[in-house]
Amino acid sequence: QVQLVESGGGLVQPGGSLRLSCAASGSIFRFYAMGWYRQAPGKQRDVVATITNNGITNYADSVKGRFSISRDNAKSTMYLQMNSLKPEDTAVYYCTLFTTPQSWGQGTQVTVSS
């Protein structure tokens, strides 16, 4: 089973930027679509952005124009560049690989606060 490890979270001021990374084990990474989800306290886990195995992207309306998802199949790594961060972006961010069953990382905390 593939393992996913997120990194790059932290505390940032409103208007700041962070770059999340998701490293995958194994050799199946390049065959599957991937995505980033987030879950704020007391709320459900929602999709933030997805990317197909050949690079087609899709974003939640709330992050369009601010976040950018990308992947490097040679490095089995996916990224989420987050710019113009807002307090409402505060959440635990999870990466996922759309295998069956779906694979999830352990999550990384992003806190946007002054």
Side-chain angles (χ1 to χ4, degrees):
Q1 183 171 347
V2 66
Q3 291 186 329
L4 304 173
V5 179
E6 301 100 334
S7 61
L11 173 64
V12 63
Q13 292 186 342
S17 298
L18 282 175
R19 188 192 195 204
L20 305 183
S21 299
C22 174
S25 65
S27 59
I28 66 170
F29 176 90
R30 66 187 184 275
F31 298 116
Y32 291 91
M34 295 193 72
W36 288 96
Y37 284 65
R38 66 187 180 186
Q39 188 167 20
K43 295 188 177 181
Q44 67 180 20
R45 189 176 298 187
D46 291 326
V47 62
V48 175
T50 60
I51 185 167
T52 66
N53 61 333
N54 56 3
I56 298 172
T57 60
N58 197 24
Y59 297 91
D61 288 342
S62 59
V63 306
K64 281 181 180 176
R66 301 188 298 122
F67 290 11
S68 178
I69 188 172
S70 61
R71 64 191 293 166
D72 185 335
N73 287 339
K75 295 182 179 180
S76 295
T77 302
M78 178 179 65
Y79 305 97
L80 185 68
Q81 178 67 43
M82 305 186 293
N83 299 325
S84 302
L85 282 161
K86 305 175 181 179
E88 52 263 43
D89 295 318
T90 296
V92 178
Y93 284 70
Y94 298 90
C95 70
T96 187
L97 187 68
F98 289 102
T99 49
T100 304
Q102 198 166 339
S103 302
W104 294 92
Q106 82 288 352
T108 186
Q109 176 70 46
V110 172
T111 302
V112 184
S113 175
S114 55

